[in-house]
Amino acid sequence: KSAFIDKYRINHILNEKVTNFVAVNLGFLMCDGHIKKDLGQIHYFFNQRNDAELFKNDFLSIFDKERLSLKYRAYCFQVGICNKNLANLFNSLGVPVGNKVYQPFLIPNWIYNGNLNIKKDFLSTIYGNEGSKPQDNRWRIQFVLSKTKEYVPNLLEFLNQIRAMLSHFGIKTTHIQLRKQKRRAFSGRFYIKGKEDLTKFYKQIGFLYASEKQEVLESLILKRNI
């Protein structure tokens, strides 16, 4: 039972466009986004104002009864919403609250085993958050996340879920590299490498709400085709 679902009615929530956007939110909140421990606030972070504005407009086109803020703070643009019912819903769908480095979580089955559109929207969101833009014309995109030592097995399982989802689109990835960080947790990373797989990523996934990364990738792909 969810008060947020009651507000919009279950038929609205189960609409494919709405379900896909919920998957986008989960992707965000498992990476660069944040639900406060008391469930009082949800935050999404962006490097570019146009991406923050696009996300805010997309959110309000799906959930038009909400009020969202957009502020520039700590060198990034933040979209925020104070809604405990929504935070509770996202938490019940698998998003942890508070600091994600200190707790385990996995991609929910309805996304991991979902249709290609849900997979695509989730992947393009998490890559917009945690994927690197190709540097110095190198044909590679890095994906990296961190966990404390006790949750390293969970970190590896989560990263392998992402790799398996990418393989559904015919995109190959490297093995995961695990590194100890100074005075911090362990980081796990893997790469999409080479022209063929980056081109597949560009055509099928891309970086959602991260226009600066998408522009660098596009310029690399288009340069190759000149």
Side-chain angles (χ1 to χ4, degrees), residues 16 20 51 113 144 173 188:
E16 185 179 353
N20 287 8
D51 293 318
N113 296 314
V144 58
T173 53

XYZ file of all heavy atoms in Angstrom, residues 16 20 51 113 144 173 188:
51
model
N 3.304 2.315 -19.295
C 4.703 1.982 -19.630
C 5.635 3.187 -19.516
O 6.742 3.085 -18.980
C 4.785 1.403 -21.058
C 6.177 0.929 -21.396
C 6.297 0.333 -22.792
O 5.264 0.171 -23.460
O 7.434 0.048 -23.209
N 8.744 3.274 -16.899
C 10.106 3.530 -17.383
C 10.738 4.703 -16.642
O 11.930 4.676 -16.313
C 10.098 3.816 -18.890
C 9.842 2.570 -19.715
O 9.523 1.521 -19.174
N 9.952 2.683 -21.018
N 20.471 20.010 -18.262
C 20.107 18.641 -17.902
C 19.183 18.626 -16.678
O 18.225 17.844 -16.631
C 21.355 17.808 -17.611
C 22.205 17.593 -18.847
O 21.632 17.329 -19.920
O 23.445 17.702 -18.750
N 15.121 -7.880 -15.303
C 14.468 -8.809 -16.233
C 13.376 -8.121 -17.054
O 12.528 -8.784 -17.644
C 13.859 -9.996 -15.463
C 14.920 -10.824 -14.770
O 15.939 -11.149 -15.367
N 14.703 -11.152 -13.505
N 32.318 3.082 -12.522
C 32.950 2.783 -11.234
C 32.006 3.101 -10.077
O 31.294 4.103 -10.103
C 34.296 3.552 -11.078
C 34.101 5.052 -11.189
C 34.987 3.197 -9.771
N 31.900 -5.965 -22.284
C 32.592 -5.194 -21.247
C 33.827 -5.963 -20.776
O 33.932 -7.172 -20.976
C 31.671 -4.950 -20.036
O 31.139 -6.207 -19.583
C 30.523 -4.021 -20.382
N 35.037 -0.713 -7.467
C 34.964 -1.703 -8.533
C 34.695 -0.988 -9.834
O 33.835 -0.095 -9.896
